Amino acid sequence: MSPGWKITVMMVAVASVVSTPLVWLLDSPDTGQLVGATVQAATGIAALVWALLQRPPAPAPVPGPADLAVDTGNADGSGGGTAHTGVRRPGGAGTGSAKAERTGNATAQGPGSSAGTGVDYS
């Protein structure tokens, strides 16, 4: 709830708690007026408590950058090396989009070498 609405609800709640029940109670109320004053005061207090417990809305997340790899060249990983022709996001880092189109060939040769194309979240 926005701060403006919260203040409005609180003011209306306070007004309903104080206004009519006060007039009824000062004029020797009968049973119906006493019940009405009690219900109105309870409703106003409930609205006041509800308004006080509302938290402001969380801000919208800021989108991250859009990573794009298009028409990349070939990559060769050898001798324990790593080759990648697209977008790399280790551990899935980042909040924006990642896209790879028409990436080049990636080849790995030798023990411990790795190669990949496209989007790599590892």
Side-chain angles (χ1 to χ4, degrees), residues 2 17 20 23 26 43 46 51 53 56 58 62 78 87 94 98 102 110:
S2 70
V17 168
T20 306
V23 172
L26 292 177
T43 303
L53 295 177
V62 177
S78 60
V87 176
R102 299 181 307 276

Side-chain angles (χ1 to χ4, degrees), residues 44-106:
I45 290 169
L48 181 61
V49 168
W50 176 80
L52 288 172
L53 295 177
Q54 294 301 306
R55 294 189 177 158
V62 177
D67 295 330
L68 177 63
V70 179
D71 291 328
T72 61
N74 296 334
D76 181 29
S78 60
T82 301
H84 193 79
T85 63
V87 176
R88 293 197 71 216
R89 287 200 177 161
T95 58
S97 63
K99 187 175 182 180
E101 298 176 350
R102 299 181 307 276
T103 61
N105 296 328

